[in-house]
């Protein structure tokens, strides 16, 4: 359980960094990493509590990170 949590954080950090370097988002490197890690933590605990998600924890981390990057910045950004 603990190695899965650490792997989720590492994958979320990599997704946040890669999304910023590939110009997918324009938040800044640190905010993108924080958003990804927050989304991955949330999805990790929802997966543990309710059993919702993919079988592979890595796919859960990637899907949660990309989902958080799509939802959070567009929701709070001024139009």
């Amino acid at each position: 359980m603990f190695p899965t949590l650490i792997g989720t954080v590492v994958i979320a950090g990599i997704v946040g960094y890669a999304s910023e370097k590939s110009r997918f988002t324009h938040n800044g490197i640190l905010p993108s990493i924080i958003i990804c890690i927050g989304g991955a933590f949330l999805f990790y605990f929802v997966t543990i509590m309710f059993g919702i998600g993919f079988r592979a924890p890595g796919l859960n981390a990637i899907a949660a990170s990309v989902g958080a990057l799509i939802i959070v910045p567009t929701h709070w950004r001024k139009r």
Side-chain angles (χ1 to χ4, degrees), residues 16-78:
Y17 181 78
S19 69
E20 195 59 41
K21 285 297 182 177
S22 67
R23 301 275 185 197
F24 179 69
T25 59
H26 303 290
N27 302 322
I29 293 174
L30 190 60
S32 290
I33 292 173
I34 291 171
I35 290 168
C36 284
I37 290 175
F41 266 130
L42 178 68
F43 197 72
Y44 176 75
F45 289 119
V46 166
T47 301
I48 288 175
M49 288 189 298
F50 301 113
I52 299 170
F54 304 111
R55 289 197 181 261
L59 289 177
N60 287 340
I62 292 170
S65 298
V66 172
L69 279 175
I70 291 171
I71 292 171
V72 171
T74 58
H75 179 74
W76 294 107
R77 187 175 297 157
K78 293 185 180 186

